[in-house]
Amino acid sequence: MTTKKYNERKTQLTKYLEQLDEFNWHHPTQVSDMIDSQHERDNRTYYLAQLSLVLFNNYQQSYMQIGQMLNMSSRTARRLTIDYQQEFDSLEEIMEELQNGEDW
């Protein structure tokens, strides 16, 4: 993989992770409430799993690489790819779902 493509993908993943954390940006005073929200944790875990699955299956990234890109351990990346089914075909589909999904 070329350095340019790697940098583009890393930039794109950073944007996706920011989208996952959108609630924190718009409602910083409610972050402590969100920590206790099982629904919010489930949503975040689901989308991290989908990102992991797309990276693993579509881009043949290792668990170590996925963990580095998504800022989690390689063990967590492996667990997410085992525990969830891939429901998106591309990173773009995940981003579209996050942008058009429920208001976090």
Side-chain angles (χ1 to χ4, degrees), residues 39-60:
H39 175 70
E40 296 297 335
R41 286 193 307 258
D42 290 345
N43 274 341
R44 180 170 171 80
T45 301
Y46 170 77
Y47 284 108
L48 283 173
Q50 293 305 311
L51 285 168
S52 298
L53 285 161
V54 168
L55 290 170
F56 184 75
N57 294 326
N58 297 17
Y59 295 97
Q60 293 74 42

Side-chain angles (χ1 to χ4, degrees), residues 87-98:
E87 297 181 15
F88 296 95
D89 294 326
S90 68
L91 295 172
E92 290 77 20
E93 285 183 15
I94 296 172
M95 186 62 178
E96 185 176 319
E97 178 71 18
L98 286 169

